[in-house]
Amino acid sequence: PIARLTAEYEVVVVPAQSPIRSMSELAARLKSNPGAVSIAGGSAGGTDHILAGLLVRAAGADPAKTNYIAYSGGGEALAAIMGNHVAAGISGYGELIGPIKAGRLRALAISSDRRIPGIDIPTLREGGIDVELANWRSVVAPPGLSTAQRQTLLDAVDRMVRSPQWRATLAKNDWVDFYLPGDAFSAYLRTEEARVTDILKTIGLAR
């Protein structure tokens, strides 16, 4: 691990015609009968699926009963949500912002730990779900680097993230700055691996 760079957060949505108006209402339904709440998203075991399991657990239900409908592509999942074939959907903000702004989907919550400037979507915690999850991007290197080689990479990435060009790139692409270098990134990976492995085991996708 060299450095964590950027993050995209997940958004929980429902069809525009859905009677579910808030994350707290969706959480109540998940707690009552998670199997009756179908949730569309990307491939099984991916970030969307992980968040679905975490939502069910945080709502007070058994994550093993998560009714997750996996689609091979974002377009297929989006069509299922907008076509009212599922109760809710989960995907990255970038994939859903268009239909949300067009009024075809209702955004209930975003998986960030705090409100994001310029994005008028409440956090999961505001809806009573104590969960945050980032789909992050990073720089990694092959194993067996010498201390000097690793330091060279750390220094290069650090210079990059402090450059005006990088700040402009973040703004241009609506990327969230999630920079975390070196040993701190390694520690984050250990914690996140344990959390993700636990929920994947619970929903039956890992041993």
Side-chain angles (χ1 to χ4, degrees):
I2 300 301
R4 190 184 67 186
L5 288 181
T6 64
E8 181 182 30
Y9 291 105
E10 299 278 287
V11 179
V12 181
V13 297
V14 293
Q17 304 82 8
S18 173
I20 302 171
R21 309 293 302 184
S22 68
M23 190 64 223
S24 58
E25 291 180 18
L26 179 61
R29 293 186 181 215
L30 289 171
K31 182 177 181 179
S32 174
N33 187 359
V37 183
S38 55
I39 303 172
S43 58
T47 307
D48 304 345
H49 198 172
I50 291 166
L51 182 58
L54 291 171
L55 291 180
V56 172
R57 172 184 283 172
D62 182 1
K65 296 180 179 178
T66 302
N67 184 4
Y68 184 79
I69 312 299
Y71 290 87
S72 59
E76 294 178 5
L78 189 58
I81 303 165
M82 293 193 297
N84 286 288
H85 301 302
V86 292
I90 297 173
S91 190
Y93 172 78
E95 289 196 39
L96 297 177
I97 186 58
I100 291 171
K101 287 185 174 180
R104 302 182 70 183
L105 295 177
R106 180 182 303 127
L108 301 183
I110 192 166
S111 66
S112 54
D113 59 348
R114 60 179 67 87
R115 287 269 186 146
I116 300 175
I119 299 179
D120 188 24
I121 302 175
T123 66
L124 289 167
R125 290 191 173 115
E126 289 178 73
I129 297 293
D130 189 17
V131 170
E132 60 84 19
L133 184 68
N135 191 4
W136 47 267
R137 305 291 187 269
S138 69
V139 176
V140 296
L145 292 180
S146 68
T147 300
Q149 288 172 323
R150 180 173 181 266
Q151 191 59 51
T152 296
L153 290 173
L154 286 167
D155 292 343
V157 173
D158 191 67
R159 285 194 302 272
M160 182 199 74
V161 300
R162 298 180 190 282
S163 69
Q165 294 90 339
W166 179 246
R167 307 310 303 180
T169 299
L170 290 175
K172 177 182 177 181
N173 293 290
D174 289 322
W175 291 343
V176 175
D177 184 359
F178 213 45
Y179 181 51
L180 188 69
D183 292 341
F185 178 40
S186 296
Y188 169 84
L189 281 177
R190 290 191 292 271
T191 301
E192 195 70 348
E193 181 182 17
R195 179 172 73 137
V196 168
T197 299
D198 177 63
I199 196 66
L200 288 176
K201 286 180 178 178
T202 305
I203 59 181
L205 291 177
R207 294 184 178 181

